[in-house]
């Protein structure tokens, strides 16, 4: 009984640290708690605290024996264990596996199920899809803190989707603000006032927005540096839109200061959003293209399209691909600048050279590493992008990724590409082996499956003429055995037709070039 009371006291203490924004203290206490021989029920509670204290990988490690048991162990995961595991996956960017796991939950009415479904959509900027889950949770949750957290996230979703009438109803919820004030939930109060500033921002009520940001600032002081970053970001954006006549040089200096702060705090999404707003305001097509092609989130790309249309910028300006500069470090370059007189590498050409001979995984890896200009690729994101039919295993998956990256680096050296892959703290990124940097580009029209790419090459070489597999093998320097398997897939897809059999077999492209 004394051990159980000790655990509950520690749990309550850590929870209070988290809710007050004292993440460092929470992590320190959690380190002590994880050293103890906890029961299965206690491990679930610890995993919850680890995730909320920004240690989701440790939560995965604790729960995996129950959620993804080995064949030798016959554990049956509870809904609560699955939910917590899914939430940790979401935090780490493995949103597809998280969604698959959430789909197995038996009780779709659980508060945590609704909340984590919403989080999974919010993680990829898909706020519209998160709203039904948050609305339902708001009507049924009996926990005051969860009710407050849900309200804050729902506010963010409403404002992002420009559903301001819905947002205003939550702002008028006096019990919510009384709860936050009475219980000194300073982080949530900071979020509340920052969101109210965004609400006025959308209505172009600049003075009201500035008043709310002052309130948010008062609750962020001495609290959380990320919260202070958000306040500074919106102060800059209010000034940017409020005074359109401000000197561009001054605006650019302020923009660069916010970028540096966001970089120092490792907050990629603030970098992405600040670049988007700034590029839209000054009509910088180069920066808009950088933000568009540098984000893997479909919902965010749709937001960009909607806003550039409103700003009378043509979709055609986005093009079908992009070029950017990578350096010897993982520094985030100024998106307005493309280095000159440096090596240039076309990622589509790289894939053409490394695609065949059983190395198709390398192409997926390469594009996963180039998917997001604003953050390195985590092990979880890479694994989900490359090994699409497998679940992440903390014991074996990192090794598989390292081995695959080693093979990719070998290919870079073999073909004299001035590229390599760097790694730190579980994050990977493309970098240059040249001190001057390297421009890398891609054309989305040339991406696709190995079969689709081969069909395009056949069309380029033979048009509508017949060809033999042996001749094609020699032209493309592809081993005949590898080519034979690919041609079979092309036949299944009805992209080519086959004439004859045996040594006299010939093929011809059926569809027009894609």
């Amino acid at each position: 009984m004394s051990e159980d009371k000790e655990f509950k006291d520690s749990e309550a203490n850590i929870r209070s640290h988290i809710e007050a924004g004292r993440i460092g203290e929470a992590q320190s206490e959690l380190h002590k708690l994880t050293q103890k021989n906890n029961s299965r029920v206690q491990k679930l509670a610890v995993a919850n605290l680890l995730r909320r204290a920004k240690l989701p990988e440790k939560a995965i490690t604790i729960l995996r024996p129950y959620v993804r048991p080995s064949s030798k162990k016959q554990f049956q995961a509870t809904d609560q264990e699955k939910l917590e595991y899914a939430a940790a996956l979401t935090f780490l960017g493995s949103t597809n596996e998280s969604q698959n796991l959430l789909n197995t939950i038996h009780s779709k009415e659980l508060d945590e199920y609704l909340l984590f479904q919403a989080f999974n959509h919010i993680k990829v900027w898909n706020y519209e899809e998160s709203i039904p889950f948050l609305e339902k949770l708001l009507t049924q949750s009996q926990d005051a803190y969860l009710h407050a957290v849900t309200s804050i996230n729902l506010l963010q979703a409403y404002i992002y989707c420009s559903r301001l009438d819905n947002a205003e109803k939550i702002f008028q919820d006096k019990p919510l603000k009384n709860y936050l004030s009475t219980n000194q939930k300073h982080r949530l109060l900071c979020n509340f006032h920052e969101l109210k500033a965004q609400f006025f921002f959308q209505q172009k009520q600049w003075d009201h927005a500035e008043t709310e940001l002052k309130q948010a600032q008062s609750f962020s002081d001495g609290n959380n540096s990320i919260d202070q970053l958000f306040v500074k970001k919106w102060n800059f954006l209010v000034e940017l839109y409020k005074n359109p006549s401000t000197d561009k040089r001054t605006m650019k200096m302020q923009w660069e200061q916010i970028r540096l702060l966001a970089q120092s705090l490792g907050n990629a999404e603030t970098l992405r959003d600040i670049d988007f707003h700034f590029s839209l305001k000054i009509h910088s097509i180069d920066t808009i293209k950088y933000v568009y092609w540098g984000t893997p989130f479909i919902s965010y790309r749709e937001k960009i399209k909607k806003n550039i249309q409103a700003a009378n910028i043509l979709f055609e300006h986005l093009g079908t691909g992009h070029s950017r500069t990578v350096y010897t470090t993982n520094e985030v370059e100024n998106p307005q600048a493309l280095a000159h007189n440096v090596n240039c590498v076309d990622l589509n050409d790289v894939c053409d050279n490394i695609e065949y001979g059983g190395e198709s995984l390398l192409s997926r890896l390469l594009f996963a590493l180039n998917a997001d200009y604003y953050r390195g690729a985590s092990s979880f994101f890479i694994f989900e992008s490359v090994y699409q039919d497998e679940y992440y295993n903390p014991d074996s998956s990192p090794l598989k990724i390292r081995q695959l990256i080693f093979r990719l680096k070998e290919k870079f050296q073999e073909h004299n590409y001035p590229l390599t892959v760097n790694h730190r703290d579980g994050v990977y990124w493309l970098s240059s082996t040249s001190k001057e940097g390297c421009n890398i580009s891609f054309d989305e029209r040339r991406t696709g499956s190995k079969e689709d790419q081969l069909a395009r090459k056949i069309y380029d070489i033979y048009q509508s003429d017949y060809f033999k597999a042996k001749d094609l093998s020699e032209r493309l320097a592809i081993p005949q055995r590898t080519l034979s398997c690919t041609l079979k897939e092309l036949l299944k897809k009805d992209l080519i037709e086959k004439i004859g059999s045996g040594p006299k077999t010939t093929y011809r492209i059926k569809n027009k070039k894609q």
Side-chain angles (χ1 to χ4, degrees):
M1 290 293 291
S2 61
E3 290 182 0
D4 189 51
K5 183 179 183 306
E6 183 182 350
F7 179 88
K8 288 183 177 179
D9 289 343
S10 296
E11 182 185 5
N13 189 42
I14 294 169
R15 186 180 294 110
S16 67
H17 283 316
I18 293 171
E19 293 178 6
R22 299 187 295 269
I23 302 302
E25 291 91 329
Q27 291 179 346
S28 179
E29 291 295 319
L30 273 165
H31 179 71
K32 299 174 186 176
L33 198 59
T34 54
Q35 303 303 309
K36 298 181 179 180
N37 186 24
N38 298 312
S39 67
R40 179 170 172 176
V41 172
Q42 290 173 337
K43 286 179 180 178
L44 174 61
V46 171
N48 172 273
L49 295 172
L50 285 167
R51 172 183 58 80
R52 294 174 62 193
K54 301 183 179 180
L55 296 171
E57 287 194 62
K58 291 188 177 181
I60 291 284
T61 301
I62 286 177
L63 293 178
R64 183 175 173 81
Y66 309 109
V67 178
R68 304 285 188 212
S70 65
S71 57
K72 296 179 181 179
K73 297 180 179 179
Q74 301 301 315
F75 289 123
Q76 185 68 39
T78 65
D79 273 355
Q80 293 291 344
E81 288 168 336
K82 290 180 182 178
L83 285 166
E84 200 53 57
Y85 196 90
L89 287 171
T90 294
F91 192 101
L92 291 160
S94 189
T95 52
N96 290 337
E97 183 181 348
S98 176
Q99 187 59 57
N100 290 336
L101 192 55
L102 287 169
N103 291 341
T104 69
I105 300 300
H106 294 97
S107 177
K108 301 293 194 289
E109 304 298 317
L110 289 171
D111 286 357
E112 292 87 349
Y113 170 79
L114 298 171
L115 183 65
F116 298 156
Q117 277 281 17
F119 283 170
N120 211 41
H121 290 298
I122 291 171
K123 182 69 175 180
V124 294
W125 293 84
N126 192 356
Y127 283 95
E128 191 68 52
E129 294 295 326
S130 74
I131 288 174
F133 296 105
L134 293 169
E135 287 179 333
K136 186 173 183 180
L137 179 56
L138 198 63
T139 61
Q140 75 176 41
S141 175
Q142 299 299 311
D143 181 86
Y145 180 74
L146 180 57
H147 189 278
V149 169
T150 304
S151 297
I152 296 298
N153 280 279
L154 188 53
L155 272 173
Q156 179 69 75
Y158 282 151
I159 293 169
Y160 184 87
C161 299
S162 298
R163 292 166 62 170
L164 301 186
D165 289 344
N166 298 93
E168 189 169 18
K169 291 177 183 178
I170 297 180
F171 285 128
Q172 293 173 351
D173 182 0
K174 291 183 179 179
L176 170 64
K177 194 169 182 181
N178 288 338
Y179 168 78
L180 296 177
S181 300
T182 303
N183 293 276
Q184 296 185 328
K185 303 298 183 184
H186 287 178
R187 284 210 69 193
L188 291 179
L189 276 167
C190 178
N191 298 152
F192 180 86
H193 288 288
E194 179 216 322
L195 288 169
K196 203 164 184 179
Q198 292 185 40
F199 171 81
F200 287 124
F201 176 87
Q202 286 208 16
Q203 297 176 312
K204 299 182 180 180
Q205 296 185 37
W206 313 122
D207 292 342
H208 289 310
E210 288 173 338
T211 299
E212 293 299 328
L213 286 170
K214 287 178 182 177
Q215 286 273 32
Q217 180 67 55
S218 69
F219 290 112
S220 72
D221 288 340
N223 181 18
N224 187 292
S225 53
I226 292 294
D227 294 332
Q228 294 173 17
L229 169 65
F230 295 157
V231 173
K232 290 180 180 179
K233 164 192 167 180
W234 285 103
N235 268 317
F236 165 69
L237 292 179
V238 168
E239 182 66 24
L240 184 68
Y241 283 85
K242 178 182 177 181
N243 299 306
S245 60
T246 303
D247 179 63
K248 279 192 176 182
R249 182 178 297 179
T250 302
M251 286 195 296
K252 187 174 181 180
M253 287 177 60
Q254 293 173 343
W255 168 64
E256 289 175 341
Q257 288 173 358
I258 300 292
R259 291 190 95 253
L260 286 171
L261 179 59
Q263 282 179 250
S264 68
L265 295 172
N267 193 274
E269 297 316 313
T270 292
L271 269 176
R272 191 189 316 277
D273 213 34
I274 204 77
D275 283 355
F276 166 66
H277 280 285
F278 182 69
S279 63
L280 195 66
K281 187 62 182 173
I282 68 170
H283 277 225
S284 171
I285 302 301
D286 287 340
T287 311
I288 290 173
K289 288 173 66 175
Y290 183 93
V291 180
Y292 181 86
W293 291 107
T295 178
F297 308 127
I298 296 173
S299 295
Y300 198 90
R301 285 189 173 189
E302 290 303 314
K303 172 188 174 181
I304 292 173
K305 286 182 178 180
K306 181 180 177 181
N307 280 272
I308 66 173
Q309 185 178 31
N312 297 318
I313 298 172
L314 298 175
F315 290 161
E316 287 77 6
H317 289 314
L318 292 174
T320 59
H322 193 248
S323 296
R324 68 169 176 135
T325 307
V326 294
Y327 301 97
T328 54
T329 65
N330 70 327
E331 78 176 89
V332 180
E333 69 271 24
N334 185 321
Q336 292 185 302
L338 190 66
H340 298 287
N341 301 318
V342 299
N343 292 292
C344 298
V345 174
D346 186 320
L347 296 189
N348 300 104
D349 290 340
V350 175
C351 288
D352 288 344
N353 288 326
I354 67 175
E355 180 80 36
Y356 298 98
E359 300 286 5
S360 59
L361 293 178
L362 294 181
S363 295
R364 292 184 197 168
L365 170 62
L366 182 57
F367 278 96
L369 290 167
N370 194 55
D372 195 335
Y373 297 174
Y374 288 90
R375 65 169 81 240
S378 69
S379 298
F380 287 82
F381 178 80
I382 291 174
F383 193 84
E384 187 164 277
S385 301
V386 176
Y387 301 100
Q388 298 167 353
D389 298 322
E390 298 181 37
Y391 293 134
Y392 189 91
N393 184 332
D395 297 324
S396 60
S397 297
L399 177 59
K400 289 182 71 171
I401 292 169
R402 288 196 297 271
Q403 290 173 335
L404 192 63
I405 286 175
F406 180 76
R407 298 216 307 269
L408 179 62
K409 292 168 73 172
E410 282 188 324
K411 289 291 183 181
F412 286 155
Q413 292 181 338
E414 178 184 337
H415 294 280
N416 295 316
Y417 293 122
L419 289 173
T420 188
V421 182
N422 284 340
H423 169 257
R424 185 173 65 241
D425 299 330
V427 175
Y428 298 86
W429 65 93
L430 287 171
S431 62
S432 173
T433 55
S434 170
K435 293 180 180 179
E436 294 78 19
C438 174
N439 289 338
I440 58 177
S441 63
F442 69 93
D443 188 332
E444 196 173 52
R445 294 171 300 181
R446 292 178 59 194
T447 61
S449 69
K450 176 170 62 177
E451 294 80 21
D452 292 336
Q453 292 180 36
L454 180 60
R456 295 186 188 107
K457 288 184 178 182
I458 293 172
Y459 185 90
D460 288 338
I461 297 171
Y462 296 104
Q463 301 292 313
S464 58
D465 295 337
Y466 287 97
F467 64 91
K468 289 186 176 183
K470 180 181 178 182
D471 296 334
L472 184 62
S473 172
E474 292 175 355
R475 289 287 296 271
L476 299 179
I478 301 172
Q480 273 196 262
R481 180 178 296 179
T482 301
L483 182 61
S484 177
C485 294
T486 310
L487 290 174
K488 287 180 181 178
E489 292 300 318
L490 285 176
L491 286 167
K492 288 180 183 178
K493 289 187 172 186
D494 202 32
L495 293 175
I496 61 173
E497 60 179 334
K498 176 183 175 182
I499 308 295
S501 60
K504 296 183 178 180
T505 301
T506 58
Y507 302 88
R508 184 172 67 174
I509 201 80
K510 286 185 69 174
N511 297 349
K512 292 182 179 180
K513 184 181 178 182
Q514 299 177 14

